[in-house]
mmCIF file of all heavy atoms in Angstrom:
data_model
loop_
_atom_site.group_PDB
_atom_site.id
_atom_site.type_symbol
_atom_site.label_atom_id
_atom_site.label_comp_id
_atom_site.label_asym_id
_atom_site.label_seq_id
_atom_site.Cartn_x
_atom_site.Cartn_y
_atom_site.Cartn_z
ATOM 1 N N LYS A 818 -9.513 19.411 35.098
ATOM 2 C CA LYS A 818 -8.967 20.627 35.687
ATOM 3 C C LYS A 818 -8.702 21.667 34.607
ATOM 4 O O LYS A 818 -8.174 21.360 33.543
ATOM 5 C CB LYS A 818 -7.676 20.312 36.439
ATOM 6 C CG LYS A 818 -7.125 21.496 37.217
ATOM 7 C CD LYS A 818 -5.886 21.105 38.014
ATOM 8 C CE LYS A 818 -5.340 22.302 38.772
ATOM 9 N NZ LYS A 818 -4.129 21.946 39.560
ATOM 10 N N LEU A 819 -9.058 22.924 34.877
ATOM 11 C CA LEU A 819 -8.895 23.996 33.901
ATOM 12 C C LEU A 819 -7.468 24.534 33.905
ATOM 13 O O LEU A 819 -6.835 24.662 34.967
ATOM 14 C CB LEU A 819 -9.868 25.140 34.195
ATOM 15 C CG LEU A 819 -11.292 25.002 33.656
ATOM 16 C CD1 LEU A 819 -12.038 23.851 34.285
ATOM 17 C CD2 LEU A 819 -12.059 26.308 33.868
ATOM 18 N N ASN A 820 -6.962 24.880 32.720
ATOM 19 C CA ASN A 820 -5.655 25.520 32.605
ATOM 20 C C ASN A 820 -5.662 26.941 33.146
ATOM 21 O O ASN A 820 -4.662 27.438 33.668
ATOM 22 C CB ASN A 820 -5.216 25.578 31.138
ATOM 23 C CG ASN A 820 -4.781 24.242 30.590
ATOM 24 O OD1 ASN A 820 -4.466 23.327 31.348
ATOM 25 N ND2 ASN A 820 -4.763 24.106 29.274
ATOM 26 N N ALA A 821 -6.787 27.641 32.971
ATOM 27 C CA ALA A 821 -6.856 29.072 33.261
ATOM 28 C C ALA A 821 -6.597 29.373 34.729
ATOM 29 O O ALA A 821 -6.816 28.533 35.618
ATOM 30 C CB ALA A 821 -8.226 29.613 32.858
ATOM 31 N N ARG A 822 -6.160 30.601 34.971
ATOM 32 C CA ARG A 822 -6.031 31.083 36.343
ATOM 33 C C ARG A 822 -7.435 31.427 36.852
ATOM 34 O O ARG A 822 -8.150 32.235 36.251
ATOM 35 C CB ARG A 822 -5.147 32.322 36.389
ATOM 36 C CG ARG A 822 -4.994 32.917 37.785
ATOM 37 C CD ARG A 822 -4.241 34.230 37.743
ATOM 38 N NE ARG A 822 -4.199 34.854 39.065
ATOM 39 C CZ ARG A 822 -3.754 36.095 39.279
ATOM 40 N NH1 ARG A 822 -3.312 36.833 38.257
ATOM 41 N NH2 ARG A 822 -3.755 36.591 40.506
ATOM 42 N N LEU A 823 -7.826 30.820 37.945
ATOM 43 C CA LEU A 823 -9.168 30.987 38.498
ATOM 44 C C LEU A 823 -9.093 31.739 39.820
ATOM 45 O O LEU A 823 -8.382 31.333 40.732
ATOM 46 C CB LEU A 823 -9.828 29.625 38.714
ATOM 47 C CG LEU A 823 -9.864 28.677 37.504
ATOM 48 C CD1 LEU A 823 -10.486 27.344 37.893
ATOM 49 C CD2 LEU A 823 -10.640 29.311 36.353
ATOM 50 N N GLU A 824 -9.853 32.848 39.904
ATOM 51 C CA GLU A 824 -9.833 33.663 41.112
ATOM 52 C C GLU A 824 -11.253 34.052 41.520
ATOM 53 O O GLU A 824 -11.988 34.687 40.751
ATOM 54 C CB GLU A 824 -9.007 34.947 40.891
ATOM 55 C CG GLU A 824 -7.538 34.720 40.592
ATOM 56 C CD GLU A 824 -6.731 34.329 41.826
ATOM 57 O OE1 GLU A 824 -7.299 34.320 42.949
ATOM 58 O OE2 GLU A 824 -5.525 34.040 41.675
ATOM 59 N N HIS A 825 -11.648 33.640 42.724
ATOM 60 C CA HIS A 825 -12.872 34.125 43.369
ATOM 61 C C HIS A 825 -14.112 33.879 42.508
ATOM 62 O O HIS A 825 -14.961 34.774 42.355
ATOM 63 C CB HIS A 825 -12.742 35.616 43.711
ATOM 64 C CG HIS A 825 -11.633 35.930 44.664
ATOM 65 N ND1 HIS A 825 -11.788 36.770 45.732
ATOM 66 C CD2 HIS A 825 -10.336 35.521 44.710
ATOM 67 C CE1 HIS A 825 -10.648 36.870 46.398
ATOM 68 N NE2 HIS A 825 -9.748 36.107 45.783
ATOM 69 N N ASN A 826 -14.242 32.690 41.975
ATOM 70 C CA ASN A 826 -15.437 32.289 41.241
ATOM 71 C C ASN A 826 -16.331 31.453 42.149
ATOM 72 O O ASN A 826 -15.845 30.734 43.027
ATOM 73 C CB ASN A 826 -15.063 31.469 40.006
ATOM 74 C CG ASN A 826 -14.114 32.215 39.088
ATOM 75 O OD1 ASN A 826 -14.470 33.208 38.486
ATOM 76 N ND2 ASN A 826 -12.870 31.716 38.989
ATOM 77 N N LEU A 827 -17.634 31.525 41.950
ATOM 78 C CA LEU A 827 -18.565 30.684 42.683
ATOM 79 C C LEU A 827 -19.377 29.886 41.674
ATOM 80 O O LEU A 827 -20.129 30.454 40.875
ATOM 81 C CB LEU A 827 -19.498 31.519 43.558
ATOM 82 C CG LEU A 827 -20.494 30.718 44.409
ATOM 83 C CD1 LEU A 827 -19.758 29.799 45.384
ATOM 84 C CD2 LEU A 827 -21.422 31.649 45.172
ATOM 85 N N THR A 828 -19.191 28.569 41.684
ATOM 86 C CA THR A 828 -19.837 27.715 40.693
ATOM 87 C C THR A 828 -20.445 26.497 41.369
ATOM 88 O O THR A 828 -20.133 26.178 42.513
ATOM 89 C CB THR A 828 -18.833 27.254 39.625
ATOM 90 O OG1 THR A 828 -17.831 26.426 40.229
ATOM 91 C CG2 THR A 828 -18.156 28.441 38.952
ATOM 92 N N GLY A 829 -21.288 25.817 40.619
ATOM 93 C CA GLY A 829 -21.915 24.603 41.121
ATOM 94 C C GLY A 829 -23.422 24.720 41.095
ATOM 95 O O GLY A 829 -23.996 25.810 41.016
ATOM 96 N N ALA A 830 -24.082 23.573 41.148
ATOM 97 C CA ALA A 830 -25.542 23.537 41.098
ATOM 98 C C ALA A 830 -26.141 24.411 42.194
ATOM 99 O O ALA A 830 -25.743 24.338 43.354
ATOM 100 C CB ALA A 830 -26.029 22.098 41.249
ATOM 101 N N GLY A 831 -27.088 25.267 41.812
ATOM 102 C CA GLY A 831 -27.763 26.136 42.764
ATOM 103 C C GLY A 831 -27.045 27.419 43.079
ATOM 104 O O GLY A 831 -27.566 28.258 43.832
ATOM 105 N N SER A 832 -25.863 27.627 42.508
ATOM 106 C CA SER A 832 -25.086 28.829 42.834
ATOM 107 C C SER A 832 -25.819 30.108 42.461
ATOM 108 O O SER A 832 -25.739 31.115 43.177
ATOM 109 C CB SER A 832 -23.724 28.795 42.129
ATOM 110 O OG SER A 832 -22.927 27.746 42.615
ATOM 111 N N VAL A 833 -26.547 30.077 41.359
ATOM 112 C CA VAL A 833 -27.239 31.285 40.899
ATOM 113 C C VAL A 833 -28.521 31.516 41.693
ATOM 114 O O VAL A 833 -28.723 32.570 42.293
ATOM 115 C CB VAL A 833 -27.514 31.204 39.391
ATOM 116 C CG1 VAL A 833 -28.355 32.387 38.933
ATOM 117 C CG2 VAL A 833 -26.198 31.163 38.610
ATOM 118 N N VAL A 834 -29.416 30.536 41.699
ATOM 119 C CA VAL A 834 -30.718 30.743 42.336
ATOM 120 C C VAL A 834 -30.597 30.944 43.843
ATOM 121 O O VAL A 834 -31.422 31.634 44.460
ATOM 122 C CB VAL A 834 -31.687 29.576 42.034
ATOM 123 C CG1 VAL A 834 -32.011 29.528 40.562
ATOM 124 C CG2 VAL A 834 -31.116 28.256 42.508
ATOM 125 N N ASN A 835 -29.574 30.358 44.454
ATOM 126 C CA ASN A 835 -29.436 30.481 45.904
ATOM 127 C C ASN A 835 -28.816 31.804 46.337
ATOM 128 O O ASN A 835 -28.909 32.167 47.515
ATOM 129 C CB ASN A 835 -28.582 29.333 46.457
ATOM 130 C CG ASN A 835 -29.281 27.989 46.340
ATOM 131 O OD1 ASN A 835 -30.504 27.924 46.297
ATOM 132 N ND2 ASN A 835 -28.506 26.921 46.267
ATOM 133 N N ASN A 836 -28.213 32.519 45.404
ATOM 134 C CA ASN A 836 -27.476 33.721 45.785
ATOM 135 C C ASN A 836 -27.975 35.004 45.129
ATOM 136 O O ASN A 836 -27.562 36.095 45.546
ATOM 137 C CB ASN A 836 -25.987 33.545 45.464
ATOM 138 C CG ASN A 836 -25.313 32.554 46.391
ATOM 139 O OD1 ASN A 836 -25.066 32.853 47.562
ATOM 140 N ND2 ASN A 836 -25.019 31.361 45.878
ATOM 141 N N LEU A 837 -28.832 34.891 44.119
ATOM 142 C CA LEU A 837 -29.368 36.094 43.473
ATOM 143 C C LEU A 837 -30.797 36.346 43.921
ATOM 144 O O LEU A 837 -31.519 35.433 44.332
ATOM 145 C CB LEU A 837 -29.309 35.952 41.955
ATOM 146 C CG LEU A 837 -27.919 35.774 41.345
ATOM 147 C CD1 LEU A 837 -27.989 35.851 39.830
ATOM 148 C CD2 LEU A 837 -26.930 36.808 41.883
ATOM 149 N N ARG A 838 -31.232 37.587 43.787
ATOM 150 C CA ARG A 838 -32.538 37.990 44.328
ATOM 151 C C ARG A 838 -33.702 37.274 43.642
ATOM 152 O O ARG A 838 -34.554 36.712 44.298
ATOM 153 C CB ARG A 838 -32.690 39.512 44.221
ATOM 154 C CG ARG A 838 -31.755 40.255 45.168
ATOM 155 C CD ARG A 838 -31.967 41.749 45.124
ATOM 156 N NE ARG A 838 -33.329 42.137 45.477
ATOM 157 C CZ ARG A 838 -33.640 43.206 46.191
ATOM 158 N NH1 ARG A 838 -32.678 43.984 46.690
ATOM 159 N NH2 ARG A 838 -34.898 43.504 46.436
ATOM 160 N N ASP A 839 -33.731 37.295 42.314
ATOM 161 C CA ASP A 839 -34.828 36.626 41.614
ATOM 162 C C ASP A 839 -34.468 36.460 40.137
ATOM 163 O O ASP A 839 -35.037 37.131 39.272
ATOM 164 C CB ASP A 839 -36.121 37.435 41.753
ATOM 165 C CG ASP A 839 -37.354 36.632 41.355
ATOM 166 O OD1 ASP A 839 -37.194 35.478 40.909
ATOM 167 O OD2 ASP A 839 -38.470 37.165 41.470
ATOM 168 N N PRO A 840 -33.520 35.579 39.826
ATOM 169 C CA PRO A 840 -33.082 35.445 38.436
ATOM 170 C C PRO A 840 -34.189 34.990 37.493
ATOM 171 O O PRO A 840 -34.147 35.297 36.291
ATOM 172 C CB PRO A 840 -31.948 34.420 38.516
ATOM 173 C CG PRO A 840 -32.188 33.676 39.791
ATOM 174 C CD PRO A 840 -32.788 34.678 40.727
ATOM 175 N N GLU A 841 -35.189 34.254 38.006
ATOM 176 C CA GLU A 841 -36.269 33.801 37.136
ATOM 177 C C GLU A 841 -37.109 34.973 36.636
ATOM 178 O O GLU A 841 -37.794 34.862 35.617
ATOM 179 C CB GLU A 841 -37.155 32.798 37.883
ATOM 180 C CG GLU A 841 -36.424 31.550 38.348
ATOM 181 C CD GLU A 841 -35.689 30.840 37.215
ATOM 182 O OE1 GLU A 841 -36.287 30.685 36.140
ATOM 183 O OE2 GLU A 841 -34.527 30.457 37.415
ATOM 184 N N HIS A 842 -37.046 36.099 37.331
ATOM 185 C CA HIS A 842 -37.780 37.295 36.913
ATOM 186 C C HIS A 842 -36.829 38.448 36.611
ATOM 187 O O HIS A 842 -37.168 39.622 36.770
ATOM 188 C CB HIS A 842 -38.801 37.689 37.984
ATOM 189 C CG HIS A 842 -39.866 36.662 38.176
ATOM 190 N ND1 HIS A 842 -39.912 35.826 39.281
ATOM 191 C CD2 HIS A 842 -40.919 36.301 37.399
ATOM 192 C CE1 HIS A 842 -40.954 35.017 39.181
ATOM 193 N NE2 HIS A 842 -41.575 35.276 38.051
ATOM 194 N N LEU A 843 -35.611 38.095 36.188
ATOM 195 C CA LEU A 843 -34.632 39.021 35.610
ATOM 196 C C LEU A 843 -33.973 39.956 36.614
ATOM 197 O O LEU A 843 -33.353 40.946 36.216
ATOM 198 C CB LEU A 843 -35.258 39.843 34.468
ATOM 199 C CG LEU A 843 -35.947 39.043 33.356
ATOM 200 C CD1 LEU A 843 -36.479 39.983 32.274
ATOM 201 C CD2 LEU A 843 -34.999 38.018 32.747
ATOM 202 N N ASP A 844 -34.065 39.648 37.896
ATOM 203 C CA ASP A 844 -33.305 40.401 38.890
ATOM 204 C C ASP A 844 -32.067 39.581 39.244
ATOM 205 O O ASP A 844 -32.127 38.624 40.022
ATOM 206 C CB ASP A 844 -34.153 40.665 40.134
ATOM 207 C CG ASP A 844 -33.462 41.626 41.113
ATOM 208 O OD1 ASP A 844 -32.244 41.864 40.956
ATOM 209 O OD2 ASP A 844 -34.146 42.126 42.025
ATOM 210 N N PHE A 845 -30.932 39.961 38.650
ATOM 211 C CA PHE A 845 -29.691 39.196 38.772
ATOM 212 C C PHE A 845 -28.754 39.787 39.833
ATOM 213 O O PHE A 845 -27.566 39.477 39.842
ATOM 214 C CB PHE A 845 -28.990 39.127 37.419
ATOM 215 C CG PHE A 845 -29.794 38.446 36.343
ATOM 216 C CD1 PHE A 845 -30.371 39.180 35.315
ATOM 217 C CD2 PHE A 845 -29.992 37.076 36.355
ATOM 218 C CE1 PHE A 845 -31.120 38.561 34.317
ATOM 219 C CE2 PHE A 845 -30.734 36.445 35.373
ATOM 220 C CZ PHE A 845 -31.303 37.193 34.347
#
Side-chain angles (χ1 to χ4, degrees):
K818 187 177 179 180
L819 277 65
N820 286 341
R822 178 187 175 189
L823 307 177
E824 297 285 355
H825 299 225
N826 303 293
L827 182 61
T828 65
S832 294
V833 174
V834 295
N835 292 335
N836 289 287
L837 299 188
R838 291 184 59 142
D839 194 356
E841 300 306 315
H842 296 106
L843 307 182
D844 188 346
F845 299 107

